[in-house]
Amino acid sequence: MAVRGQRNPYAVLGVEPTASAVQITSAFRKLVRTLHPDSQPEQPSARRQERLDEVVAAYATLRDPRRRAEYDAKRTRAVAARRAREPRAARVGVRPANGYAVVSLGVRLRPPVPSAPLRAGPVRIEPFLGR
């Protein structure tokens, strides 16, 4: 399983989250061939070894279907939690209707009591002049 602070295994291997097991294995083998210390002995190996360890850890997470499902579930929960914390921006749209400009905020407002009128503050309606 990916440890906090560790990079996204899909990004490490360079594959999409929808990649098949064959695509993941192929990407892993390609990276191991290029990062292996014996492939280019003249290059400094400290950074390459660190990157190789990252690739091996990412492959260990993604090759096992159970660990991959756990990681995907954790990632989905994290994205949902992050979206829940973000303030929702109101989408504003203006369209002409019967000579007036109708402003839609993109947020569905409900009165506290279903039969009560909805009060959303001062509203100013101006004639729509169009282009």
Side-chain angles (χ1 to χ4, degrees), residues 79-98:
V79 168
R82 187 172 40 243
R83 284 187 181 157
R85 286 191 306 263
E86 293 175 355
R88 290 183 60 184
R91 291 172 285 150
V92 178
V94 179
R95 63 180 174 81
N98 298 330

Side-chain angles (χ1 to χ4, degrees), residues 66-122:
R66 183 186 56 79
R67 290 174 76 186
R68 182 177 180 184
E70 287 175 5
Y71 175 78
D72 288 342
K74 178 182 167 187
R75 188 173 60 120
T76 303
R77 283 192 308 268
V79 168
R82 187 172 40 243
R83 284 187 181 157
R85 286 191 306 263
E86 293 175 355
R88 290 183 60 184
R91 291 172 285 150
V92 178
V94 179
R95 63 180 174 81
N98 298 330
Y100 292 97
V102 177
V103 178
S104 149
L105 295 177
V107 178
R108 184 170 271 198
L109 301 173
R110 292 188 179 95
V113 178
S115 61
L118 177 65
R119 294 199 172 111

